[in-house]
Amino acid sequence: MKRKKKSKFPAKYVLLIMTIFCLVIIGCSVKLSWSGSAANTVVGYVIVPMQRGINYVGGILTDIRDNFVSRQELMQENEELKEQLADAQEELNLVQIDRDELDQLRELYDMDQTWSEYDKIAASVIGKDSGNWFSTFIIDKGTNDGVEEGMNIIADGGLAGIVTAVGPNYATIRAVIDDNSNISCKDLSTGDLMVVSGSLQSMNESGLITFSDLSDSDGEASVGDQIVTSNISDLYLPGIPVGYITEMTEDANNLTKSGTVATIVDFEHLEKVFVILQTKDSLTEDGGE
């Protein structure tokens, strides 16, 4: 007789039993206190490390989320601060513009008081030749405002130039620093005459113009003396400040001196001027430039 083979225990039953066993252990671990039982030991070695790992990963994810939110908030705050800074800068610029305009009006008022014996009209500079210097510039006043050729222009308390061309609502000015400018002047301290000449080359090199033919026979002229227009000029009104002597040397003839002059007017930043509504021809003094 053939012997019957013993049937093997089905694997699915083994898996079922192990699953039930694990569930029992987990259930027991929940009910039992941490008193060192076998079930708790298994839980301590298996479940706790897993929970710690999950908590660690969760903490990292939470930090990433919080950092992302914080970064977004910081970016938004940064944009808001930039807008506030731009608004504040704009307000500051407006305040500075108002302050600059007020300073210009004060300077114009001071000049108006200084030259109160002349009729004047304020004008704005609206154009200039190329380059750093206002050697030739245009103002926004013309024949409609009583401006004529030959009228003197003052700014910053000193002589700026003379009207060389005029239209209905504009006028062209040749500044004292222009190469074609030659003005009969005198040393205010000594009364000695000289010729002050414009020079763009000298302005570019040192910011100064030149003088020549100073007849300092007594040797009293010195650096720092103020230079003003003389009464013998037929183009410029007398006594208008031009600048100050900055350097002086004796000429080869041993009779005259030459040197440099720092102008009173800032010919690099010229915005407001006064037109004296009177020419030298209308005065009683005679003479030539």
Side-chain angles (χ1 to χ4, degrees):
M1 293 179 62
K2 294 182 179 181
R3 296 177 61 182
K4 295 183 179 180
K5 294 181 179 181
K6 293 182 180 180
S7 60
K8 294 182 180 180
F9 196 74
K12 62 181 180 180
Y13 294 120
V14 175
L15 180 61
L16 177 61
I17 292 172
M18 293 180 65
T19 302
I20 294 173
F21 178 74
C22 291
L23 292 174
V24 171
I25 291 176
I26 294 172
C28 292
S29 68
V30 173
K31 293 181 180 180
L32 294 176
S33 64
W34 292 88
S35 60
S37 65
N40 287 336
T41 302
V42 173
V43 172
Y45 280 106
V46 178
I47 303 300
V48 171
M50 292 178 60
Q51 185 65 40
R52 287 177 179 172
I54 293 172
N55 291 339
Y56 178 74
V57 173
I60 293 176
L61 294 176
T62 300
D63 291 340
I64 293 175
R65 182 201 63 190
D66 293 342
N67 290 335
F68 178 76
V69 172
S70 299
R71 181 177 177 83
Q72 292 292 105
E73 292 176 349
L74 287 175
M75 291 176 64
Q76 183 177 356
E77 292 178 359
N78 188 37
E79 291 299 323
E80 293 175 354
L81 289 174
K82 285 182 178 179
E83 293 178 0
Q84 295 176 7
L85 180 60
D87 293 339
Q89 185 63 49
E90 183 177 357
E91 293 179 1
L92 181 61
N93 291 340
L94 292 175
V95 171
Q96 186 62 44
I97 290 173
D98 291 340
R99 181 179 298 174
D100 291 342
E101 290 180 350
L102 180 59
D103 290 341
Q104 291 174 4
L105 290 175
R106 285 174 176 169
E107 290 177 0
L108 290 175
Y109 175 78
D110 292 339
M111 281 195 294
D112 185 49
Q113 297 302 305
T114 301
W115 306 99
S116 58
E117 69 270 25
Y118 297 121
D119 291 331
K120 299 172 296 297
I121 185 172
S124 298
V125 177
I126 58 175
K128 63 182 287 292
D129 280 348
S130 60
N132 296 329
W133 308 103
F134 285 77
S135 58
T136 302
F137 57 93
I138 301 173
I139 60 174
D140 61 352
K141 295 295 187 292
T143 55
N144 293 340
D145 307 289
V147 178
E148 300 176 3
E149 289 186 26
M151 288 183 171
N152 294 182
I153 306 297
I154 57 176
D156 301 334
L159 181 65
I162 191 169
V163 177
T164 56
V166 62
N169 55 1
Y170 73 91
T172 302
I173 313 301
R174 183 181 67 218
V176 301
I177 64 172
D178 188 75
D179 290 333
N180 296 316
S181 176
N182 293 284
I183 308 169
S184 176
C185 296
K186 70 177 181 179
D187 185 321
L188 189 62
S189 298
T190 66
D192 294 321
L193 298 177
M194 68 182 72
V195 176
V196 174
S197 302
S199 172
L200 291 180
Q201 179 179 351
S202 180
M203 287 294 293
N204 289 326
E205 292 174 352
S206 61
L208 304 171
I209 57 177
T210 63
F211 75 86
S212 60
D213 299 327
L214 172 62
S215 55
D216 183 30
S217 57
D218 297 330
E220 295 179 352
S222 61
V223 171
D225 287 354
Q226 187 179 58
I227 306 303
V228 300
T229 53
S230 72
N231 60 343
I232 66 172
S233 172
D234 58 359
L235 294 179
Y236 294 92
L237 302 170
I240 302 178
V242 175
Y244 298 88
I245 295 177
T246 58
E247 185 180 353
M248 184 169 50
T249 58
E250 191 168 4
D251 296 331
N253 58 19
N254 295 323
L255 298 176
T256 59
K257 295 180 180 178
S258 302
T260 55
V261 175
T263 61
I264 292 177
V265 178
D266 180 2
F267 286 103
E268 193 173 9
H269 309 93
L270 200 57
E271 296 181 7
K272 300 288 186 180
V273 300
F274 262 127
V275 182
I276 298 179
L277 299 176
Q278 188 174 9
T279 63
K280 184 64 180 291
D281 292 338
S282 62
L283 297 181
T284 58
E285 289 88 354
D286 296 327
E289 186 180 11

